[in-house]
Amino acid sequence: MESKSKTILDVARLAGVSKGTVDRVLHNRGEVSAKSAAKVRAAIEQLNYEPNLYASLLASRRERAIACVMPRYTPGEYWEKIHLGAMAGSEDVSSMGIRITEYYYDQYNLASFRNACNEVLEAAPAGVILPPLFKTETMSFVRQLKDRNIPYVYVDTRIEDENYLAYIGMPMYKSGYLCASLLTQRFSREDVGKIAVIRIRRDKTGQSDPTASRREGFMDYISENYPDCEVDQVFITPSDEEGTYSTLKEYFSLNPDVRHIVMFNSRVHLISRFLRDHRDEGWTVVGFDDLEKNIEMLKDGVLSILIAQHTEKQSRDAVNILSDHIMVHKVPANRDNYVHMDILTALNIENY
């Protein structure tokens, strides 16, 4: 029997259930025992049955929502790119009757994240996309999603979790390892005496640390290749430009031997004014993500290397993966889907 000739009736006969049961399984309508649902899914896989999505949607006349839980942003920030990718994905799947609803929170406020998660649970979407910025609270949230049979996809980074449908983003540990290599590759052990890691002050609970795995990869490379190197952590507040400038000025006046600077998130542009005012120091500086402000730093010569990715691809792919799973229970071929790590310098940025 050719795939195109297979019908719901074929699935029902093989599974030993009614057509109505198959239909309820296909459309996640409930009212089906776990045993019957398992038989239907096994029959679908055995027959390689692919339902006509458009006909099914017309018959069900039901819209499905995917919730995208993400930090609030201002124009030009990293999370705007995640938003734009989600909107592109929304256009990809709109003909299936799937819409995207975004739930925003303050990435420095645990209570704000918790409130957004509660709103999502009340809305009971067909699927969820989220970056796991608050680790402990995210684990609590996704356990509730699992209990309600709501599939979810991680973007930007992921946490150790047995139940996520997919992850789309950089290989975080490897990106930190690569970052350390790029930062130090032109220098001998003697020339890399101390490195300044510029970090963001986050929530007071200490839950939010999205670049922890990247930092681990960075530190492993340094300890393996520059065992005598010291790494200082310098914390800044994103909303306090003058405070950031003062903090950096004080640190580098006390540590004039530091020649290497790195930031592990997308906001290396927060230190751009200080770097421009001290461009004669000849620091090697590495940052992440192709925001316009970061690209301008490359062009201006105060940023040495930018490790970039096509950020919008993360959320766009997440929407499509979830849609396929919602509509036909398709499981992605790869659970972890890593995006390219692009190495940008002043010499190749014009062609990126």
Side-chain angles (χ1 to χ4, degrees):
M1 186 183 297
E2 294 297 324
S3 175
K4 65 181 181 180
S5 67
K6 294 169 186 175
T7 66
I8 285 182
L9 181 58
D10 296 317
V11 175
R13 285 172 175 166
L14 182 59
V17 299
S18 69
K19 287 174 60 178
T21 297
V22 176
D23 186 75
R24 285 193 291 276
V25 172
L26 287 172
H27 296 101
N28 289 317
R29 291 192 181 123
E31 302 176 8
V32 179
S33 69
K35 184 177 180 180
S36 294
K39 288 181 178 180
V40 170
R41 293 188 181 111
I44 289 172
E45 184 175 354
Q46 183 176 335
L47 293 171
N48 195 26
Y49 172 69
E50 296 182 3
N52 185 320
L53 298 183
Y54 300 100
S56 297
L57 284 167
L58 288 172
S60 66
R61 296 184 182 277
R62 185 160 67 92
E63 188 177 57
R64 293 157 176 83
I66 291 176
C68 186
V69 188
M70 59 187 290
R72 297 189 190 99
Y73 60 84
T74 57
E77 290 186 335
Y78 176 85
W79 298 109
E80 182 182 31
K81 288 178 172 286
I82 294 292
H83 158 75
L84 293 173
M87 293 302 98
S90 179
E91 293 183 11
D92 295 339
V93 302
S94 61
S95 60
M96 300 181 191
I98 292 177
R99 61 182 171 84
I100 308 301
T101 303
E102 294 178 317
Y103 296 81
Y104 293 103
Y105 61 90
D106 179 350
Q107 65 176 299
Y108 305 106
N109 188 305
L110 176 60
S112 176
F113 176 71
R114 186 180 292 131
N115 290 338
C117 293
N118 288 335
E119 289 180 14
V120 171
L121 293 171
E122 289 177 10
V128 174
I129 298 168
L130 78 159
L133 265 62
F134 294 92
K135 181 177 179 179
T136 303
E137 197 68 26
T138 295
M139 290 302 296
S140 174
F141 177 49
V142 298
R143 279 195 293 269
Q144 294 179 78
L145 294 178
K146 178 182 180 295
D147 290 343
R148 301 177 190 209
N149 294 316
I150 299 174
Y152 56 95
V153 173
Y154 289 132
V155 295
D156 180 59
T157 186
R158 68 169 179 82
I159 53 182
E160 294 304 317
D161 169 14
E162 296 179 353
N163 301 304
Y164 65 93
L165 178 66
Y167 163 62
I168 304 102
M170 275 193 186
M172 293 296 283
Y173 179 90
K174 287 184 178 179
S175 70
Y177 205 87
L178 171 66
C179 175
S181 172
L182 294 172
L183 183 70
T184 60
Q185 63 183 351
R186 295 186 296 108
F187 300 89
S188 67
R189 287 190 175 187
E190 294 74 24
D191 292 331
V192 187
K194 185 180 286 190
I195 295 172
V197 174
I198 314 300
R199 296 183 59 186
I200 300 294
R201 287 193 182 92
R202 293 189 173 270
D203 72 297
K204 295 179 181 179
T205 68
Q207 275 201 44
S208 180
D209 191 4
T211 60
S213 181
R214 179 174 289 162
R215 192 165 64 251
E216 180 185 359
F218 181 92
M219 293 302 297
D220 282 353
Y221 181 93
I222 295 300
S223 64
E224 292 166 13
N225 295 277
Y226 298 89
D228 298 325
C229 176
E230 296 180 43
V231 179
D232 287 342
Q233 314 280 330
V234 183
F235 287 86
I236 62 173
T237 301
S239 59
D240 186 2
E241 182 179 352
E242 293 305 319
T244 293
Y245 196 99
S246 297
T247 296
L248 296 175
K249 184 176 181 180
E250 179 181 4
Y251 171 79
F252 286 103
S253 66
L254 295 173
N255 297 274
D257 55 330
V258 173
R259 308 256 58 86
H260 299 81
I261 304 171
V262 63
M263 285 191 75
F264 295 132
N265 54 48
S266 64
R267 287 178 286 182
V268 69
H269 59 82
L270 292 176
I271 65 173
S272 62
R273 183 161 71 92
F274 180 82
L275 293 177
R276 288 186 172 100
D277 287 351
H278 299 80
R279 62 172 65 246
D280 292 339
E281 296 291 340
W283 290 309
T284 298
V285 186
V286 177
F288 282 82
D289 296 309
D290 59 333
L291 304 187
E292 284 300 322
K293 292 178 181 179
N294 295 345
I295 290 173
E296 288 304 315
M297 292 176 67
L298 266 186
K299 293 178 178 178
D300 198 27
V302 296
L303 180 61
S304 311
I305 298 171
L306 194 60
I307 302 173
Q309 59 184 313
H310 293 283
T311 306
E312 296 93 332
K313 178 177 172 57
Q314 295 184 47
S315 45
R316 184 172 189 169
D317 286 356
V319 169
N320 281 278
I321 285 172
L322 266 175
S323 297
D324 286 344
H325 186 72
I326 291 165
M327 298 306 302
V328 292
H329 307 289
K330 182 178 179 180
V331 176
N334 299 306
R335 196 177 186 213
D336 292 327
N337 301 270
Y338 297 121
V339 297
H340 295 163
M341 295 187 288
D342 301 323
I343 301 170
L344 306 181
T345 71
L347 298 178
N348 67 353
I349 187 60
E350 292 293 343
N351 300 317
Y352 185 64

